[in-house]
């Protein structure tokens, strides 16, 4: 009987610092062998990895739980491996998707990989004996098809693969699943075995949607006579209202600054729902648990202070303490003093467009304060749109150069918490 098809409850508290930290902060959902992994972690440093495909030039907040797991792995004395999926990105992971990914060129994948590395260097210290980043294209591109089928493919049952959620869900929804994508599980499993051979890696971590792939990798290692390999997954992180973590009306919350300003990143955390503050402080900051308990206990208006702490601490991890505090001060001036704060996100529009005049609903959409013209119209009609701190009542009201402040900008506001400066160029 396999021991790894079970959900884990780590009771009592694990002996190893790593699993103890993950347990008390709410990171753990499933583990292939929790007792064995805890004993291994307590005995000395281990190598563990998480894979990230290179489908964009930045990761977003949805990947932050996994990034924080690697952060805690290193913080507790172990050695993280960041596996870039330069090879698997050429195929596409069907997990959690209803459609085939668009295939990227080699050059596009390399550019995305470079952008993603910028995120990890904020959370990990890289060196030969600390965290390392490797690319599975180094070995996957060298594989010969027939030997792969003989040596690896024979260990995979199609019957079992059809029961995996990543495959089953697509088939149940009658969405196409290409033969190319069907092989993703085999290659990800082979990654685990290859990392075990090359670097002594014993643990693969990932989100709960990767459980089937992780288990398959552990199983393949056993069949190919590798040392015991372990798997660990995190729960699906949702917000208190049932929404998906990191999804907003304006789109994904990107981690790279050239994709999303520091101020907007700070504001994302500041807008956390009351019921999520404690959970997010545990997952997305490194504050001590006793301090988190005090912040979590705040109620009413005082809870806003806990949200500011969350926003500043989460932003400091990614962008540095100075930029986080600058964003917090910009927000304080914008909200508490009503000042025309120069630190607000800036959108530039052609001066000629402003000279001709732009309808309010269109300008709010162009500024990123609404995802569509219809949403922008509803924002104005509902009384949530302001120009230079004055409420707008007409979505078709033409905004032009006459509305520019002495600083030569327009301040647009959506509600009390979202502000953008519009400057002509």
């Amino acid at each position: 009987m396999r021991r790894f098809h079970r959900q884990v409850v780590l009771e009592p508290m694990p002996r190893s610092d790593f699993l103890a930290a993950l347990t008390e902060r709410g990171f753990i959902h499933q583990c292939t062998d929790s007792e064995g992994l805890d004993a291994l972690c307590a005995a000395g440093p281990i190598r563990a990895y998480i894979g990230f495909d290179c489908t964009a030039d930045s990761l977003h907040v949805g990947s932050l739980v996994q990034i924080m797991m690697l952060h805690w792995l290193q913080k507790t004395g172990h050695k993280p491996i960041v596996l870039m999926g330069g090879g698997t990105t050429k195929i596409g992971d069907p997990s959690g998707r209803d459609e085939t990914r668009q295939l990227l060129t080699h050059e596009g994948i390399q550019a995305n990989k470079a952008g993603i590395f910028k995120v990890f260097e904020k959370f990990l210290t890289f060196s030969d004996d600390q965290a390392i980043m490797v690319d599975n294209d180094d070995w996957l591109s060298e594989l010969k098809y027939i030997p792969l089928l003989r040596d690896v493919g024979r260990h995979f049952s199609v019957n079992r693969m059809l029961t995996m959620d990543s495959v089953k869900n697509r088939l149940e929804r009658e969405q196409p699943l290409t033969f190319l994508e069907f092989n993703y599980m085999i290659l990800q499993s082979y990654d685990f075995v290859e990392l075990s051979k090359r670097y002594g890696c014993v643990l693969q971590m990932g989100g709960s949607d990767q459980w089937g792939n992780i288990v398959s990798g552990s199983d393949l290692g056993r069949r190919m006579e590798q040392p015991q390999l372990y798997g660990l997954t995190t729960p699906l992180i949702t917000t208190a209202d049932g929404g998906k973590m990191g999804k907003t009306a304006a789109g994904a919350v990107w981690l790279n600054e050239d994709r999303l300003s520091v101020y907007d990143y700070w504001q994302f955390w500041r807008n956390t729902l009351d019921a999520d503050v404690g959970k997010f402080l545990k997952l997305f900051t490194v504050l001590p648990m006793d301090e988190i308990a005090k912040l979590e206990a705040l109620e009413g208006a005082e809870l806003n202070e806990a949200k500011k702490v969350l926003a500043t601490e989460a932003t400091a991890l990614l962008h540095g303490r100075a930029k986080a505090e600058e964003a917090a001060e910009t927000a304080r001036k914008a909200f508490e003093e009503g000042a025309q704060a120069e630190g607000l996100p800036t959108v530039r529009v052609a001066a000629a467009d402003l000279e001709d005049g732009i309808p309010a609903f269109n300008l709010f959409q162009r500024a990123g304060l609404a995802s569509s013209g219809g949403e922008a119209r509803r924002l104005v009609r509902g009384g949530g749109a302001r120009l230079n701190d004055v409420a707008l009542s007409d979505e078709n009201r033409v905004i032009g150069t006459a509305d520019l402040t002495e600083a030569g900008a327009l301040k647009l506001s959506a509600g009390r918490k979202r502000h953008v400066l519009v400057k002509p160029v």
Side-chain angles (χ1 to χ4, degrees), residues 216-419:
S216 294
S218 300
D219 192 26
L220 180 63
R222 178 178 61 82
R223 293 176 184 274
M224 297 185 72
E225 300 181 348
Q226 291 298 300
Q228 183 172 352
L229 303 180
Y230 299 86
L232 184 67
T233 65
T234 59
L236 175 65
I237 306 299
T238 58
T239 55
D241 61 0
K244 190 173 182 180
M245 175 66 189
K247 293 294 185 181
T248 68
V253 180
W254 298 100
L255 300 183
N256 283 19
E257 188 175 349
D258 58 358
R259 284 276 203 141
L260 186 75
S261 72
V262 177
Y263 177 83
D264 282 340
Y265 189 75
W266 189 94
Q267 275 297 324
F268 167 75
W269 295 108
R270 171 62 180 84
N271 293 337
T272 295
L273 297 173
D274 291 0
D276 288 328
V277 173
K279 177 171 70 173
F280 287 179
L281 281 166
K282 294 171 187 174
L283 291 172
F284 302 116
T285 79
V286 293
L287 289 175
M289 290 297 291
D290 57 349
E291 188 172 341
I292 291 175
K294 294 176 183 177
L295 292 168
E296 196 175 11
L298 297 176
E299 297 179 350
E302 289 185 337
L303 192 57
N304 287 326
E305 295 307 311
K307 293 181 182 181
K308 294 175 186 177
V309 172
L310 167 63
T312 300
E313 293 301 316
T315 303
L317 277 175
L318 178 62
H319 294 296
R321 178 69 56 183
K323 287 186 176 181
E325 292 180 352
E326 181 182 348
E329 177 62 11
T330 298
R332 187 190 69 78
K333 289 180 178 179
F335 305 150
E336 297 174 13
E337 298 179 6
Q340 183 78 24
E342 284 298 317
L344 292 175
T346 299
V347 174
R348 302 190 183 277
V349 300
D353 288 351
L354 274 181
E355 289 172 4
D356 294 337
I358 303 172
F361 77 90
N362 182 261
L363 187 57
F364 271 76
Q365 182 184 359
R366 289 170 64 173
L369 293 173
S371 59
S372 66
E375 182 180 325
R377 290 179 184 275
R378 289 190 293 274
L379 177 69
V380 176
R381 292 172 191 165
R386 294 194 306 283
L387 169 64
N388 298 332
D389 296 320
V390 177
L392 289 170
S393 58
D394 180 3
E395 69 263 31
N396 294 310
R397 195 266 213 206
V398 176
I399 298 174
T401 53
D403 297 298
L404 292 171
T405 65
E406 292 181 0
L410 304 169
K411 181 184 178 184
L412 304 184
S413 304
R416 296 178 58 190
K417 299 179 180 180
R418 299 171 61 211
H419 308 270

